[in-house]
Amino acid sequence: MNTSSILEVWDYCVGKNQTIKGAALASLVLNEANHSNIFNWSIEKRDVALFHVRKMLFGNRFNNIAHCPKCKQAVEWDFYFHQMEIPILIDTPDNIEIPIDIPNYHIMVRLPNSDDLICKEEIQIIRKCILNLKDFPEGTFNQKIPDDLLMQINNKFNKTCKASNISYHLNCTECKHEWDVVFDISTYLWKEIDQWAKSFLRQICLLAKAFGWSELDIINMSENRRNHYLNLLNS
């Protein structure tokens, strides 16, 4: 993972939806531009990869801020990478098959992947994740998934996933309101990379104007040399 590859992924992601952004950002952990295979990874494996990318780029500490839904007061909290018990990527399977047995139904499901999430409709996502759908009469689950089955599927997904199922219970110090927030590593990492990329491009612009260097010349400089030249411009 180098500066050029991060900028290339950032450039590709601008204007894309969050599902595509998540897969593209996860590709940074593999040091390759092709992220088509990551669309077949479960969202859990994708998010494991995103946690490792984030650790490599920005460190172990995650700073968070939310606003109380009642009084709009800002609430800040932190957590650290090691607290999440994120597994090593190589130990995380591309996907996981889960059996679900309830009266009238025996199904095998897999975790959703990025390709599934493009559907957006929950019923279509679930249907794509049912591995033995052909064992049921044609048209089963086209319009509705029984509530008890849907609850079991969602419970299994939540228990199986760690990186993709993180939430925090917050308390507002101003009005004492309590609520739960979901932490989405894909959205979180994109905001950080977007801010970093825009800041870095401003540095490139300043140095190019001052010294006539090309973008590639500036990217290939060490961070120490870039900062030294920037300090000279500000002195």
Side-chain angles (χ1 to χ4, degrees):
M1 190 188 312
N2 54 44
T3 302
S4 292
S5 64
I6 300 168
L7 284 175
E8 286 174 5
V9 167
W10 169 80
D11 194 24
Y12 170 81
C13 285
V14 172
K16 302 293 195 304
N17 65 43
Q18 195 57 50
T19 298
I20 294 175
K21 287 176 181 175
L25 294 174
S27 71
L28 289 170
V29 82
L30 302 176
N31 293 316
E32 62 180 45
N34 181 15
H35 37 263
S36 59
N37 62 319
I38 296 176
F39 273 82
N40 295 320
W41 286 1
S42 71
I43 295 302
E44 174 69 3
K45 180 165 183 173
R46 182 206 69 179
D47 287 356
V48 168
L50 291 175
F51 267 102
H52 285 285
V53 170
R54 201 279 174 181
K55 180 184 176 184
M56 287 186 282
L57 292 180
F58 302 110
N60 294 294
R61 185 180 180 183
F62 292 73
N63 305 105
N64 300 271
I65 185 168
H67 290 86
C68 175
K70 188 173 181 180
C71 72
K72 309 307 179 185
Q73 173 69 24
V75 177
E76 297 184 39
W77 79 100
D78 297 338
F79 64 84
Y80 292 86
F81 180 86
H82 69 271
Q83 295 174 314
M84 297 294 98
E85 300 180 349
I86 302 298
I88 299 172
L89 186 63
I90 197 172
D91 292 338
T92 307
D94 288 359
N95 213 313
I96 299 173
E97 296 183 5
I98 306 168
I100 296 179
D101 284 296
I102 63 173
N104 302 319
Y105 295 103
H106 169 72
I107 68 172
M108 289 293 297
V109 296
R110 58 166 174 78
L111 295 176
N113 59 34
S114 297
D115 188 56
D116 299 326
L117 294 189
I118 292 176
C119 296
K120 295 184 180 179
E121 295 288 338
E122 183 182 40
I123 191 169
Q124 294 302 322
I125 293 172
I126 297 297
R127 288 186 82 253
K128 287 167 71 75
C129 293
I130 298 176
L131 299 174
N132 60 333
L133 187 62
K134 67 180 187 307
D135 295 340
F136 296 90
E138 186 176 353
T140 302
F141 310 137
N142 272 353
Q143 302 300 322
K144 189 179 188 309
I145 295 176
D147 291 340
D148 55 345
L149 178 57
L150 184 60
M151 182 177 68
Q152 285 293 324
I153 292 173
N154 285 325
N155 286 341
K156 291 285 188 178
F157 284 172
N158 291 336
K159 289 179 180 178
T160 303
C161 298
K162 289 189 176 182
S164 301
N165 184 37
I166 298 173
S167 63
Y168 284 89
H169 188 74
L170 301 183
N171 298 274
C172 179
T173 57
E174 289 294 315
C175 70
K176 310 306 179 185
H177 180 68
E178 298 183 17
W179 78 103
D180 293 324
V181 295
V182 174
F183 177 82
D184 177 17
I185 182 60
S186 178
T187 302
Y188 186 92
L189 179 59
W190 167 248
K191 289 180 180 178
E192 289 189 314
I193 285 184
D194 188 45
Q195 291 171 356
W196 169 86
K198 291 174 180 176
S199 175
F200 189 73
L201 290 178
R202 283 193 292 270
Q203 294 179 19
I204 291 176
C205 183
L206 289 172
L207 294 174
K209 284 182 177 180
F211 301 106
W213 296 325
S214 70
E215 181 183 72
L216 185 59
D217 289 336
I218 298 168
I219 289 174
N220 287 337
M221 283 183 189
S222 68
E223 182 179 2
N224 180 57
R225 287 176 62 193
R226 277 196 304 270
N227 288 338
H228 182 71
Y229 285 119
L230 289 167
N231 288 335
L232 287 176
L233 292 177
N234 294 324
S235 60

